[in-house]
Amino acid sequence: MAKERLYKNLPRPKLTRAEIAEIYERLCRENPNPRTELNYSNPYTLVVAVALSAQATDVGVNRATRALFEKADTPQAMVDLGEDIVRDHIKTIGLYRNKASNVIKLSRMILDDFGGDVPTSREDLIKLPGVGRKTANVVMNEAFGQPTMAVDTHIFRVSNRTGMAPGKDPVEVELNLLRVTPDQYMMGAHHWILLHGRYTCVARTPKCYDCRIADLCRYKPKTAPP
């Protein structure tokens, strides 16, 4: 009953359950074990990398954190490094001053409030400075194997454009995806949709002519080959 009340007022998907399952089956067939494209070595460095990725590309974050994580891959090492040095490492990333401050603050909170271990629940993760619902969902899924949906701009776009999980905001899309995604695809779902949006269903001119799910997608008109 709780789930029914949660989903009651969500926009209705424009695809059938069978069509949505087919989308996942095709994306899974091409990439059976999808993972984040951010480089990390443990749950802590994943939290930092995802927090830094807001309004930045994964490529740019990986470039900035390569040397940073060599020097500090634990909360204590990051605090010992200090905000000034963190800022110097990530200055090529957007909003780097605020992000450097948050990296130190979240590191201290992990040490002081969670015994040095990254928390595993969304409720605790979003207490960390610079960590929102999307970041928490990424960490829960990628680091702790929980079936979450981390809705970024790519997933929001693909979910609405295809009609598989429409919503006016990321939370509506997240809940709709949780409602319509078959259990066997839950762990990889947000990775498949994100990567599809990053490389095929791009924002300005989607590559419908090279899309493996174009026949299922409700987007019209389809983009012709260049």
Side-chain angles (χ1 to χ4, degrees):
M1 289 297 295
K3 281 190 175 182
E4 290 178 6
R5 288 195 297 270
L6 190 65
Y7 298 148
K8 183 178 180 181
N9 297 319
L10 293 176
R12 293 185 63 83
K14 299 176 183 178
L15 278 65
T16 67
R17 295 286 181 131
E19 289 173 324
I20 293 170
E22 176 65 17
I23 285 176
Y24 283 121
E25 195 280 331
R26 294 183 192 180
L27 297 178
C28 176
R29 190 187 314 150
E30 181 175 83
N31 184 6
N33 298 296
R35 301 293 301 273
T36 180
E37 293 186 324
L38 289 168
N39 294 333
Y40 71 98
S41 58
N42 55 39
Y44 170 70
T45 53
L46 178 62
V47 169
V48 173
V50 181
L52 293 177
S53 71
Q55 300 184 44
T57 66
D58 287 1
V59 172
V61 172
N62 289 339
R63 187 181 302 117
T65 58
R66 186 178 299 117
L68 176 64
F69 289 160
E70 287 178 358
K71 294 179 179 178
D73 62 355
T74 67
Q76 187 63 63
M78 195 69 74
V79 170
D80 291 344
L81 201 61
E83 184 176 332
D84 289 345
I85 295 177
V86 172
R87 185 170 58 243
D88 287 342
H89 277 287
I90 67 169
K91 61 186 178 183
T92 55
I93 300 175
L95 307 176
Y96 71 95
R97 294 182 186 278
N98 187 56
K99 289 178 179 179
S101 175
N102 282 336
V103 167
I104 296 300
K105 289 177 182 176
L106 73 83
S107 300
R108 287 200 179 104
M109 183 176 284
I110 290 172
L111 291 168
D112 295 341
D113 296 357
F114 301 104
D117 295 324
V118 174
T120 60
S121 72
R122 182 185 296 115
E123 181 182 9
D124 285 337
L125 282 164
I126 62 177
K127 294 175 183 176
L128 301 175
V131 174
R133 187 181 182 93
K134 186 207 79 172
T135 298
N137 282 338
V138 171
V139 174
M140 291 166 66
N141 178 271
E142 181 78 14
F144 302 123
Q146 299 184 43
T148 58
M149 294 288 180
V151 178
D152 68 352
T153 56
H154 298 301
I155 294 176
F156 185 82
R157 178 175 66 254
V158 173
S159 298
N160 276 286
R161 187 180 274 170
T162 61
M164 66 186 295
K168 67 178 183 295
D169 56 52
V171 173
E172 279 197 351
V173 169
E174 176 186 336
L175 294 176
N176 242 341
L177 284 171
L178 290 171
R179 176 170 65 166
V180 303
T181 300
D183 289 345
Q184 66 266 35
Y185 298 120
M186 278 295 300
M187 283 303 300
H190 93 261
H191 291 297
W192 286 314
I193 301 171
L194 184 155
L195 293 171
H196 187 68
R198 180 173 290 169
Y199 297 112
T200 303
C201 194
V202 295
R204 293 189 178 181
T205 309
K207 302 174 184 178
C208 303
Y209 51 87
D210 192 33
C211 176
R212 65 196 63 84
I213 61 171
D215 58 314
L216 299 169
C217 173
R218 295 297 191 266
Y219 176 74
K220 294 181 180 180
K222 295 291 193 292
T223 306

Tab-separated table of all heavy atoms in Angstrom, residues 1 6 11 16-18 20 29 33 38 45 68 87-88 99 108 126 138 142 144 174 195:
chain	number	residue	atom	x	y	z
A	1	MET	N	0.819	-1.208	0.000
A	1	MET	CA	0.000	0.000	0.000
A	1	MET	C	0.856	1.263	0.000
A	1	MET	O	0.513	2.242	-0.645
A	1	MET	CB	-0.920	-0.014	1.223
A	1	MET	CG	-2.036	-1.042	1.140
A	1	MET	SD	-3.168	-0.699	-0.230
A	1	MET	CE	-3.870	0.848	0.298
A	6	LEU	N	2.704	6.041	-3.042
A	6	LEU	CA	3.864	6.768	-3.541
A	6	LEU	C	3.774	6.989	-5.045
A	6	LEU	O	4.125	8.046	-5.563
A	6	LEU	CB	5.145	5.989	-3.202
A	6	LEU	CG	6.478	6.683	-3.429
A	6	LEU	CD1	6.622	7.894	-2.506
A	6	LEU	CD2	7.622	5.710	-3.200
A	11	PRO	N	3.124	10.722	-13.392
A	11	PRO	CA	2.712	10.658	-14.797
A	11	PRO	C	2.773	9.219	-15.303
A	11	PRO	O	3.671	8.457	-14.926
A	11	PRO	CB	3.755	11.535	-15.512
A	11	PRO	CG	4.324	12.408	-14.442
A	11	PRO	CD	4.289	11.606	-13.184
A	16	THR	N	4.598	0.402	-22.828
A	16	THR	CA	4.086	-0.723	-22.061
A	16	THR	C	5.214	-1.340	-21.240
A	16	THR	O	6.401	-1.098	-21.492
A	16	THR	CB	3.495	-1.792	-22.989
A	16	THR	OG1	4.568	-2.365	-23.763
A	16	THR	CG2	2.447	-1.203	-23.920
A	17	ARG	N	4.855	-2.139	-20.263
A	17	ARG	CA	5.864	-2.837	-19.468
A	17	ARG	C	6.745	-3.718	-20.347
A	17	ARG	O	7.949	-3.831	-20.122
A	17	ARG	CB	5.182	-3.696	-18.395
A	17	ARG	CG	4.420	-2.903	-17.341
A	17	ARG	CD	5.344	-2.215	-16.380
A	17	ARG	NE	4.616	-1.471	-15.358
A	17	ARG	CZ	4.861	-1.551	-14.057
A	17	ARG	NH1	5.806	-2.353	-13.620
A	17	ARG	NH2	4.175	-0.830	-13.195
A	18	ALA	N	6.127	-4.341	-21.353
A	18	ALA	CA	6.886	-5.215	-22.252
A	18	ALA	C	7.895	-4.406	-23.060
A	18	ALA	O	9.029	-4.848	-23.281
A	18	ALA	CB	5.943	-5.967	-23.177
A	20	ILE	N	9.280	-1.520	-22.164
A	20	ILE	CA	10.328	-1.069	-21.253
A	20	ILE	C	11.301	-2.207	-20.963
A	20	ILE	O	12.524	-2.012	-20.958
A	20	ILE	CB	9.706	-0.524	-19.956
A	20	ILE	CG1	8.930	0.767	-20.254
A	20	ILE	CG2	10.789	-0.261	-18.901
A	20	ILE	CD1	8.073	1.264	-19.105
A	29	ARG	N	22.209	-6.289	-23.296
A	29	ARG	CA	22.900	-7.169	-24.235
A	29	ARG	C	24.177	-6.509	-24.744
A	29	ARG	O	25.213	-7.162	-24.912
A	29	ARG	CB	21.982	-7.498	-25.414
A	29	ARG	CG	22.495	-8.602	-26.330
A	29	ARG	CD	21.601	-8.722	-27.564
A	29	ARG	NE	20.193	-8.721	-27.195
A	29	ARG	CZ	19.219	-8.245	-27.992
A	29	ARG	NH1	19.527	-7.698	-29.152
A	29	ARG	NH2	17.976	-8.292	-27.597
A	33	ASN	N	27.637	-5.462	-17.975
A	33	ASN	CA	28.086	-5.064	-16.635
A	33	ASN	C	28.438	-3.574	-16.611
A	33	ASN	O	29.614	-3.203	-16.533
A	33	ASN	CB	29.297	-5.900	-16.209
A	33	ASN	CG	28.974	-7.375	-16.127
A	33	ASN	OD1	28.159	-7.795	-15.309
A	33	ASN	ND2	29.611	-8.168	-16.975
A	38	LEU	N	33.395	7.320	-13.684
A	38	LEU	CA	34.275	8.011	-12.739
A	38	LEU	C	35.274	7.021	-12.156
A	38	LEU	O	34.927	5.884	-11.837
A	38	LEU	CB	33.457	8.626	-11.605
A	38	LEU	CG	32.589	9.839	-11.952
A	38	LEU	CD1	31.631	10.134	-10.810
A	38	LEU	CD2	33.457	11.050	-12.262
A	45	THR	N	36.404	7.559	-2.037
A	45	THR	CA	36.797	8.281	-3.251
A	45	THR	C	35.638	8.367	-4.245
A	45	THR	O	35.558	9.321	-5.020
A	45	THR	CB	38.030	7.640	-3.919
A	45	THR	OG1	37.798	6.242	-4.128
A	45	THR	CG2	39.274	7.831	-3.069
A	68	LEU	N	45.089	13.786	-6.965
A	68	LEU	CA	44.507	14.015	-5.639
A	68	LEU	C	44.337	12.709	-4.879
A	68	LEU	O	44.715	12.599	-3.706
A	68	LEU	CB	43.158	14.727	-5.774
A	68	LEU	CG	42.375	14.942	-4.473
A	68	LEU	CD1	43.145	15.864	-3.524
A	68	LEU	CD2	40.983	15.510	-4.781
A	87	ARG	N	41.956	22.350	-3.330
A	87	ARG	CA	41.509	23.350	-4.304
A	87	ARG	C	42.464	23.434	-5.488
A	87	ARG	O	42.031	23.534	-6.642
A	87	ARG	CB	41.379	24.715	-3.616
A	87	ARG	CG	40.791	25.793	-4.522
A	87	ARG	CD	40.459	27.049	-3.735
A	87	ARG	NE	41.623	27.602	-3.062
A	87	ARG	CZ	41.759	27.705	-1.747
A	87	ARG	NH1	40.804	27.285	-0.947
A	87	ARG	NH2	42.855	28.233	-1.227
A	88	ASP	N	43.752	23.366	-5.231
A	88	ASP	CA	44.725	23.417	-6.322
A	88	ASP	C	44.582	22.226	-7.264
A	88	ASP	O	44.757	22.364	-8.482
A	88	ASP	CB	46.150	23.455	-5.757
A	88	ASP	CG	46.498	24.794	-5.126
A	88	ASP	OD1	45.789	25.777	-5.419
A	88	ASP	OD2	47.461	24.845	-4.338
A	99	LYS	N	33.499	23.354	-3.998
A	99	LYS	CA	33.654	21.900	-3.944
A	99	LYS	C	34.820	21.488	-3.051
A	99	LYS	O	34.738	20.500	-2.320
A	99	LYS	CB	33.828	21.341	-5.353
A	99	LYS	CG	32.547	21.408	-6.188
A	99	LYS	CD	32.767	20.887	-7.596
A	99	LYS	CE	31.485	20.946	-8.404
A	99	LYS	NZ	31.662	20.467	-9.796
A	108	ARG	N	35.520	15.461	7.170
A	108	ARG	CA	35.472	15.610	8.624
A	108	ARG	C	34.216	14.972	9.206
A	108	ARG	O	34.254	14.343	10.270
A	108	ARG	CB	35.518	17.098	8.997
A	108	ARG	CG	36.880	17.757	8.795
A	108	ARG	CD	36.990	19.029	9.620
A	108	ARG	NE	38.294	19.653	9.458
A	108	ARG	CZ	38.528	20.742	8.717
A	108	ARG	NH1	37.520	21.310	8.057
A	108	ARG	NH2	39.734	21.260	8.633
A	126	ILE	N	23.035	11.998	2.510
A	126	ILE	CA	22.672	13.369	2.121
A	126	ILE	C	22.945	14.379	3.242
A	126	ILE	O	22.797	15.586	3.039
A	126	ILE	CB	21.207	13.474	1.657
A	126	ILE	CG1	20.243	13.085	2.780
A	126	ILE	CG2	20.986	12.641	0.411
A	126	ILE	CD1	18.776	13.238	2.387
A	138	VAL	N	23.933	7.188	-6.409
A	138	VAL	CA	25.076	6.610	-7.123
A	138	VAL	C	25.928	5.784	-6.167
A	138	VAL	O	26.302	4.644	-6.470
A	138	VAL	CB	25.947	7.705	-7.778
A	138	VAL	CG1	27.239	7.094	-8.330
A	138	VAL	CG2	25.197	8.391	-8.905
A	142	GLU	N	26.528	1.894	-6.687
A	142	GLU	CA	27.851	1.515	-7.182
A	142	GLU	C	28.725	0.899	-6.095
A	142	GLU	O	29.409	-0.104	-6.323
A	142	GLU	CB	28.542	2.751	-7.771
A	142	GLU	CG	29.920	2.508	-8.340
A	142	GLU	CD	29.919	1.854	-9.712
A	142	GLU	OE1	28.845	1.827	-10.359
A	142	GLU	OE2	30.984	1.374	-10.147
A	144	PHE	N	27.672	0.037	-2.767
A	144	PHE	CA	27.043	-0.845	-1.789
A	144	PHE	C	26.014	-1.803	-2.384
A	144	PHE	O	25.331	-2.516	-1.636
A	144	PHE	CB	26.414	-0.010	-0.673
A	144	PHE	CG	27.401	0.873	0.045
A	144	PHE	CD1	27.205	2.241	0.114
A	144	PHE	CD2	28.545	0.337	0.620
A	144	PHE	CE1	28.117	3.060	0.764
A	144	PHE	CE2	29.467	1.152	1.268
A	144	PHE	CZ	29.255	2.516	1.340
A	174	GLU	N	12.723	9.412	-11.008
A	174	GLU	CA	13.296	8.337	-10.196
A	174	GLU	C	12.220	7.351	-9.743
A	174	GLU	O	12.365	6.126	-9.888
A	174	GLU	CB	13.996	8.931	-8.978
A	174	GLU	CG	14.559	7.894	-8.013
A	174	GLU	CD	15.110	8.516	-6.741
A	174	GLU	OE1	15.483	9.709	-6.764
A	174	GLU	OE2	15.164	7.803	-5.712
A	195	LEU	N	24.299	6.196	-19.857
A	195	LEU	CA	25.242	6.043	-20.966
A	195	LEU	C	24.539	6.212	-22.305
A	195	LEU	O	25.107	6.773	-23.251
A	195	LEU	CB	25.928	4.678	-20.884
A	195	LEU	CG	26.861	4.490	-19.687
A	195	LEU	CD1	27.313	3.039	-19.570
A	195	LEU	CD2	28.064	5.410	-19.780
